[in-house]
Amino acid sequence: MSVFTLPQAAKEASLVKELSDLVAHHRAACAPYRNILAAAGTPDTFDQVADLPWLPVRLFKNLELKSIPDDEVFKVLTSSGTTGEVSRIYLDKAAAATQTRQLGATVQTVLGPKRLPMLLVDTKSLLKDRRSFSARGAGVLGMATFGRDHVWALDADGKPDVEAIRGFLAAHGDAPFLIFGFTYLVWLHLYEVAREHGLDLGNGILIHSGGWKKLVDQAVDPDEFRRRLSADTGLRNVHNFYGMVEQIGTIFLEGPSGGSLYCPDFADVVVRDPETWAELPPGKPGLLEVVSTLPTSYPGHVLLTEDLGVVHGVDDGDWPGKRFSVLGRLPRAEARGCSDTYQKAA
Amino acid sequence: MRIRFGAPASLDELTAPSPDRLTVGDPRVVDFLARFARKLLVPAVARRHPELASLGFFLRPAELARAVTHMQRTDDALVFPRGNVFHIPPANVDTIFVYSWALSALAGNHNVVRISERSATAADTVLEALNATVADADPVIARTQRMVTYGRDDAVTGALSRWCDLRVIWGGDAAVETIRRQPLRPSARDLTFPDRTSWAALSVAGWQAAEPSARRAAVTGFSNDAYWFDQAACSSPRTVFLVGEPSAAEAVQREFLELLGDVVAERGWTVDAAMAVEKRVNAYGLAATGAATALHFPGNAVTGIQLADVGGMPRRWIGAGAFPFATVSSLADLVPVMTRQDQTFSHFGFPAEELRTFVRSLGGRGIDRVVPFGSALTFSSLWDGYDLPHEFTRLTSLQI
């Protein structure tokens, strides 16, 4: 079973219809969304996905955007950004169930239908720290449901727990197992430890996310990451993914041969020219827009991220549809005004 | 603490009593400022930092003489320097510290100016020019005038706060609140420059009556006011009020925005992707709450926002080149929505009497400066409602 099945033309046809319906749905159900579209002069019908009206993802930090009545709010997801602003994402029961189901279907594409023993490259104390819980903890907990017999690879201080990793490999290392963690933690605390201690991760399937910024400083790019994991630990099944709380349940997953992220059947990406806002062809980097049919309880179906990306090709990779990379983050706009705090300046 | 200008000194030496005496309009200071101004007006400097040319212009001898004359009194009060002045300018408006300091030096004060570690290249150029000038100046200048840089160090801020007779705090509400935690001597006081907002107003009738060249000149002036500091200086105009017949206002607004787009494109001014996103976020935010009813994105550099009503104008910064518009039938309609936070009101196309009536109706409850388009950023010794030369001096009354 896979959710990476639709060639681009078929996906475009189904998405433009479903997403147009979602635009109408959110317009009817979410007054702030309706106001924005009215002020921007947005039409009612759309010929292609790239014509759909996008919201800047940061709006979810500034506004309460939901398309369900208060008494149907089942779960409120938050993500803390670096600047302390928090996105608030409202789910009803149906949306919460859908996002879990579709996230499961997406990862099962590479994990298979059965739950696998799971090595979490993180620390259990993460779940106790209320401040970091929402961001990293929620990611780890969300993914933990796709594994069994969980073992934490890091101790309470965030240091590699070599004995725990050895124990996990002794029990489960001779059959497929799941490894999950943030990219830089995997590199610093699993790759380096496994290499040093000659641990065999050959049966592992790694799913990782969280950006490359900390690794770029060490001159490790995605290719180098895969190459060295494979050469030094035997770990060959490596899947990066890209996703955000504002489009919960939708992840863009790296294909088996690496180098590109793929869009599940219910989602897609559009790369936009930040000057004209028109869609850019493959090979041209721009701002990344993510679309997904999962957001029904809040208007997060078409979001302009603050990430830069590039589409590498269409229907020409491991899986059908667009394949793309995330290139980094747009810096935050800063004004050089009079109002400038002493605290920051000092 | 690093001394960027002035004689080397420790904090203790800097805050120790000084035997040096300057007078109001001291010739040694006047001479120093005039020679400093000439360095700023050198074409190579002015090309690189146009804002320094304005500063040089502000400090030319005729202006200095005018400022000194303005400090004098005709009654039986004698005018003296206030004493020790501690200036805390904003980090990112590169030149304001020079205006503040120069007027205070001209008044004969001993000054310490805290220059932010984040100060930009224009500030470095200013410091180079100051240091190049001081070599030939009377040594009293270096002993009494200092520019320093230090990190977040409450001990230094505290010591300088106890030293000074007047503390000048620029940089907005947060800066004022933070620095006010450091006590002053009982006889000393603060001169504060909190968060401000500024507006522009366009007379619909005045616009219609203006020749095309005058319209274009007005838009050029406005574009300087708006874009020079990313529309984030306290005097940068934000919302544009169209004043006059509502049925005609729409066409005026359209033409104004078109001309603005042309001028901005001619200058080659652009905003980067991050700023474009910032403006979308803020414009959509205004639309979401119903404060804005229509958004226009003709290009990244110019964003037009139609406000639902005149009271709904945002007072926070919403990005470089973001212009909310609201229409009112007369300036009188703006009086109730102006507050103490509002600073500069730039205007085009109004008869003088309309502006006078407007200012009288405001009664000082809001708006400190009413200036024509193109002058919003021009620093003046009357600022934020203060007469700075008078703030920097003290009076002794003498009756015989």
Side-chain angles (χ1 to χ4, degrees):
Chain A
M1 164 193 162
S2 172
V3 292
F4 297 91
T5 65
L6 293 178
Q8 192 59 29
K11 169 186 282 191
E12 170 79 21
S14 86
L15 283 184
V16 79
K17 190 190 167 301
E18 284 186 60
L19 291 169
S20 295
D21 290 349
L22 274 178
V23 170
H25 161 70
H26 290 303
R27 251 183 170 151
C30 177
Y33 182 76
R34 178 165 64 244
N35 290 341
I36 291 168
L37 265 51
T42 308
D44 293 324
T45 58
F46 310 93
D47 295 334
Q48 46 179 358
V49 169
D51 295 343
L52 293 159
W54 44 264
L55 294 188
V57 70
R58 212 190 319 146
L59 272 193
F60 290 89
K61 297 192 199 297
N62 301 345
L63 298 171
E64 183 185 288
L65 293 169
K66 60 178 165 58
S67 303
I68 47 175
D70 288 342
D71 59 1
E72 284 175 26
V73 173
F74 172 66
K75 216 186 228 180
V76 182
L77 303 168
T78 58
S79 89
S80 55
T82 43
T83 50
E85 299 158 309
V86 175
S87 279
R88 298 180 72 80
I89 302 302
Y90 298 84
L91 300 178
D92 59 8
K93 265 198 173 129
T98 305
Q99 70 91 3
T100 308
R101 192 177 64 247
Q102 295 294 28
L103 180 62
T106 307
V107 295
Q108 279 169 9
T109 305
V110 296
L111 296 180
K114 280 198 231 145
R115 288 187 186 201
L116 300 176
M118 184 171 187
L119 183 63
L120 295 152
V121 189
D122 218 314
T123 165
K124 199 176 190 173
S125 58
L126 167 78
L127 304 181
K128 293 187 195 119
D129 182 350
R130 299 305 300 178
R131 278 171 307 143
S132 63
F133 179 78
S134 60
R136 226 166 89 191
V140 169
L141 276 189
M143 201 57 77
T145 56
F146 304 116
R148 62 177 166 85
D149 302 329
H150 306 87
V151 168
W152 298 88
L154 308 184
D155 65 18
D157 300 325
K159 298 270 183 330
D161 186 342
V162 181
E163 285 321 300
I165 301 169
R166 273 191 210 282
F168 177 86
L169 291 174
H172 306 293
D174 53 0
F177 60 91
L178 167 59
I179 307 171
F180 174 76
F182 286 83
T183 309
Y184 72 97
L185 292 176
V186 169
W187 185 256
L188 289 180
H189 295 325
L190 183 65
Y191 164 72
E192 288 186 358
V193 168
R195 189 187 55 176
E196 205 175 301
H197 295 269
L199 303 179
D200 177 11
L201 305 177
N203 281 320
I205 303 169
L206 170 65
I207 294 184
H208 68 105
S209 185
W212 295 92
K213 207 172 155 214
K214 288 182 185 171
L215 293 187
V216 168
D217 297 343
Q218 307 193 17
V220 178
D221 64 13
D223 284 347
E224 182 74 357
F225 184 83
R226 291 176 74 89
R227 194 185 65 71
R228 287 183 45 191
L229 274 174
S230 168
D232 297 339
T233 72
L235 183 57
R236 277 173 203 86
N237 289 312
V238 172
H239 299 275
N240 188 14
F241 75 87
Y242 172 68
M244 62 200 74
V245 71
E246 292 85 355
Q247 223 167 59
I248 189 77
T250 304
I251 62 171
F252 300 89
L253 195 61
E254 187 180 25
S257 56
S260 287
L261 299 164
Y262 292 82
C263 314
D265 291 342
F266 50 86
D268 209 349
V269 291
V270 174
V271 174
R272 290 196 182 274
D273 181 337
E275 196 55 46
T276 65
W277 302 99
E279 182 174 16
L280 286 167
K284 301 262 191 223
L287 267 183
L288 207 50
E289 171 186 318
V290 292
V291 307
S292 167
T293 62
L294 302 193
T296 50
S297 57
Y298 64 99
H301 51 305
V302 186
L303 296 177
L304 185 80
T305 72
E306 293 184 30
D307 292 314
L308 300 164
V310 63
V311 171
H312 298 301
V314 183
D315 294 335
D316 64 348
D318 294 342
W319 297 324
K322 289 179 189 167
R323 54 189 188 87
F324 71 101
S325 287
V326 180
L327 302 173
R329 231 175 143 61
L330 196 65
R332 183 80 183 258
E334 259 191 89
R336 46 177 200 148
C338 298
S339 189
D340 162 9
T341 66
Y342 174 72
Q343 298 100 304
K344 276 193 258 156
Chain B
M1 189 180 71
R2 260 189 313 144
I3 307 264
R4 314 272 305 263
F5 172 77
S10 67
L11 183 61
D12 283 346
E13 288 163 347
L14 210 122
T15 52
S18 160
D20 287 312
R21 296 289 173 262
L22 298 171
T23 59
V24 173
D26 196 298
R28 295 166 294 181
V29 175
V30 173
D31 171 67
F32 177 80
L33 291 176
R35 286 190 300 113
F36 166 58
R38 277 205 293 280
K39 289 204 160 47
L40 299 180
L41 290 168
V42 168
V45 173
R47 252 197 317 276
R48 235 175 336 133
H49 302 293
E51 64 267 45
L52 296 188
S54 319
L55 177 60
F57 196 70
F58 181 80
L59 295 176
R60 72 196 189 286
E63 280 297 321
L64 296 178
R66 211 186 334 266
V68 172
T69 310
H70 183 67
M71 288 176 195
Q72 305 303 334
R73 303 269 294 206
T74 50
D75 55 11
D76 56 6
L78 282 75
V79 187
F80 297 104
R82 184 158 283 280
N84 298 331
V85 182
F86 176 29
H87 305 255
I88 305 156
N92 44 6
V93 173
D94 310 314
T95 52
I96 206 121
F97 76 91
V98 196
Y99 289 102
S100 176
W101 160 76
L103 284 171
S104 178
L106 197 60
N109 293 304
H110 293 206
N111 291 291
V112 173
V113 184
R114 177 190 186 271
I115 307 221
S116 165
E117 289 171 310
R118 290 193 306 148
S119 68
T121 58
D124 293 340
T125 307
V126 163
L127 287 164
E128 275 168 36
L130 283 170
N131 282 308
T133 313
V134 82
D136 307 322
D138 191 296
V140 76
I141 301 293
R143 288 199 304 268
T144 56
Q145 311 300 321
R146 286 192 178 85
M147 317 253 167
V148 302
T149 292
Y150 58 90
R152 186 183 182 179
D153 188 340
D154 288 346
V156 180
T157 303
L160 291 168
S161 296
R162 287 188 299 276
W163 163 81
C164 67
D165 298 290
L166 180 70
R167 185 169 59 181
V168 185
I169 312 172
W170 302 81
D173 292 2
V176 171
E177 275 163 30
T178 306
I179 290 161
R180 272 198 174 149
R181 286 182 217 135
Q182 301 296 333
L184 293 169
R185 281 191 281 144
S187 59
R189 63 186 180 80
D190 280 325
L191 184 59
T192 59
F193 296 91
D195 290 342
R196 307 305 304 265
T197 317
S198 294
W199 316 111
L202 196 63
S203 161
V204 171
W207 178 269
Q208 288 170 325
E211 296 292 325
S213 62
R215 295 180 188 178
R216 202 177 171 82
V219 171
T220 302
F222 175 84
S223 69
N224 288 338
D225 292 347
Y227 284 85
W228 205 346
F229 287 105
D230 290 341
Q231 219 180 343
C234 38
S235 322
S236 314
R238 310 271 177 90
T239 292
V240 180
F241 300 108
L242 297 160
V243 182
E245 183 54 49
S247 60
E250 203 185 313
V252 171
Q253 178 181 331
R254 201 176 320 117
E255 191 188 343
F256 179 82
L257 272 175
E258 272 168 28
L259 272 174
L260 185 60
D262 289 352
V263 168
V264 167
E266 262 170 40
R267 302 279 181 100
W269 288 337
T270 54
V271 305
D272 61 17
M275 186 67 81
V277 170
E278 179 76 28
K279 291 203 288 181
R280 290 273 177 159
V281 169
N282 290 320
Y284 282 13
L286 289 170
T289 59
T293 54
L295 309 175
H296 309 285
F297 302 101
N300 281 348
V302 178
T303 302
I305 299 165
Q306 200 66 47
L307 294 177
D309 75 291
V310 65
M313 71 276 202
R315 280 191 166 79
R316 64 190 178 83
W317 178 74
I318 57 170
F323 304 100
F325 283 87
T327 302
V328 292
S329 56
S330 78
L331 285 175
D333 296 341
L334 293 175
V335 172
V337 296
M338 294 292 127
T339 70
R340 181 64 73 209
Q341 194 185 316
D342 303 326
Q343 185 210 52
T344 298
F345 188 90
S346 13
H347 59 82
F348 174 77
F350 294 93
E353 203 42 50
E354 258 182 63
L355 293 170
R356 269 192 211 102
T357 306
F358 174 57
V359 171
R360 281 197 201 96
S361 315
L362 286 167
R365 289 180 296 274
I367 301 295
D368 300 323
R369 303 171 67 223
V370 177
V371 297
F373 277 16
S375 301
L377 301 178
T378 306
F379 190 80
S380 144
S381 58
L382 287 185
W383 200 256
D384 270 20
Y386 297 116
D387 183 343
L388 294 178
H390 285 175
E391 298 295 331
F392 290 138
T393 51
R394 58 183 308 122
L395 304 176
T396 302
S397 64
L398 172 64
Q399 293 176 23
I400 300 169

